Amino acid sequence: MAGGRGALIVLEGMDRAGKSTQSRRLVQALQAAGHRADLLRFPERTTEIGQLIGAYLARERELEDHAVHLLFSANRWEHVTSMKEKLHQGITLVVDRYAFSGVAFTSAKENFCLEWCKQPDAGLPKPDLILFLQLSPEEAAARGNFGRERYENGPFQKKVLQSFHHLMNEKTLNWKTMDASKSIEDLHREIKTVAEKTMQEVKDKPLGELWK
Ligand code: 2DT
Ligand code: MG
């Protein structure tokens, strides 16, 4: 591994904070700067498990809450082999949502504790950097209405945000809160700077295991 491994960089945040836009922009910018970088997103709706999740989110089918939590996790696990291969080949992975969304959304439901929610994802590749795109509910609302998928409503999103804040207290993880109210370009430039710094810092370090 002459050039070292790639970095695992995750973007999290509330709906309409700009995660997908910024993830795409980051990968494009890293590639343009000569780095090897790939974009991933979870749920990854193209696999069989992902299609089941897609149908659940679109309200086309019902799934029991524990079962769907485990499917979201399985959807990450089914990508772990290829993620590790890429990282070890020196490819940086930019990931639009990861286990933190998994835990934040399920634990926002009645009768789910954080610890139970984290267990299925324990041992996944540990992100080197987690960018939390912070946007107030008011600013999010100003960007447009919610879509029609499951979970896209204000009261539920407030609970999700509280769960994210619990997760962000974990000091063993490298969380960075970004002000997502900035313009797309300004936010992009800041994200690119911290991403490149992280890539440099971790290239000779082993990849960690999440929540282990
Ligand atoms: P997007 O299309 O905006 O990504 O919405 N979710 C996501 C979970 O409930 N558990 C998970 O593990 C993940 C990754 C968040 C997908 C929706 O699915 C939710 C919003
Ligand atoms: Mg999105």
Side-chain angles (χ1 to χ4, degrees):
M1 248 204 324
R5 72 164 172 94
L8 179 57
I9 299 172
V10 169
L11 279 79
E12 289 281 8
M14 303 308 295
D15 268 25
R16 290 167 297 173
K19 294 179 298 300
S20 303
T21 304
Q22 292 294 337
S23 306
R24 259 194 320 270
R25 290 283 277 112
L26 178 59
V27 170
Q28 285 164 356
L30 292 176
Q31 289 173 346
H35 301 288
R36 295 168 75 203
D38 266 4
L39 176 63
L40 301 179
R41 88 262 343 124
F42 291 110
E44 170 47 66
R45 302 189 194 207
T46 57
T47 64
E48 281 175 80
I49 294 170
Q51 285 170 25
L52 209 50
I53 292 171
Y56 171 79
L57 290 171
R59 304 174 195 274
E60 287 158 9
R61 67 172 294 163
E62 293 303 316
L63 289 164
E64 198 277 334
D65 289 329
H66 299 78
V68 79
H69 182 73
L70 297 174
L71 287 174
F72 274 109
S73 177
N75 184 231
R76 285 182 280 281
W77 281 106
E78 66 181 339
H79 289 91
V80 164
T81 306
S82 92
M83 287 172 70
K84 285 185 175 170
E85 270 170 21
K86 287 182 178 179
L87 290 167
H88 289 119
Q89 285 164 12
I91 301 172
T92 284
L93 299 179
V94 175
V95 188
D96 181 2
R97 294 193 194 272
Y98 197 51
F100 314 99
S101 276
V103 174
F105 277 74
T106 301
S107 67
K109 297 180 177 179
E110 295 296 322
N111 296 318
F112 281 89
C113 72
L114 230 47
E115 281 315 307
W116 186 89
C117 292
K118 283 161 72 176
Q119 279 317 304
D121 286 306
L124 283 178
K126 180 179 175 175
D128 298 298
L129 174 67
I130 314 158
L131 298 165
F132 187 78
L133 273 52
Q134 183 150 296
L135 192 69
S136 71
E138 295 73 31
E139 286 165 312
R143 291 183 179 184
N145 292 326
F146 281 115
R148 304 229 310 263
E149 283 205 328
R150 213 179 283 263
Y151 305 146
E152 294 183 325
N153 67 80
F156 190 75
Q157 298 272 329
K158 282 210 177 90
K159 290 191 192 150
V160 171
L161 184 58
Q162 286 170 359
S163 303
F164 269 124
H165 282 293
H166 285 294
L167 291 172
M168 281 190 269
N169 284 331
E170 272 182 64
K171 301 304 170 209
T172 56
L173 292 169
N174 185 21
W175 284 96
K176 279 207 168 47
T177 301
M178 311 298 288
D179 177 1
S181 69
K182 293 190 172 159
S183 73
I184 292 178
E185 270 317 303
D186 287 351
L187 182 58
H188 165 65
R189 269 193 295 274
E190 279 183 33
I191 288 178
K192 179 166 177 274
T193 303
V194 278
E196 285 185 318
K197 181 165 167 278
T198 303
M199 287 159 65
Q200 188 61 30
E201 284 166 359
V202 305
K203 68 182 181 19
D204 298 313
K205 292 192 181 147
L207 180 65
E209 291 182 302
L210 180 64
W211 293 326
K212 275 212 153 173

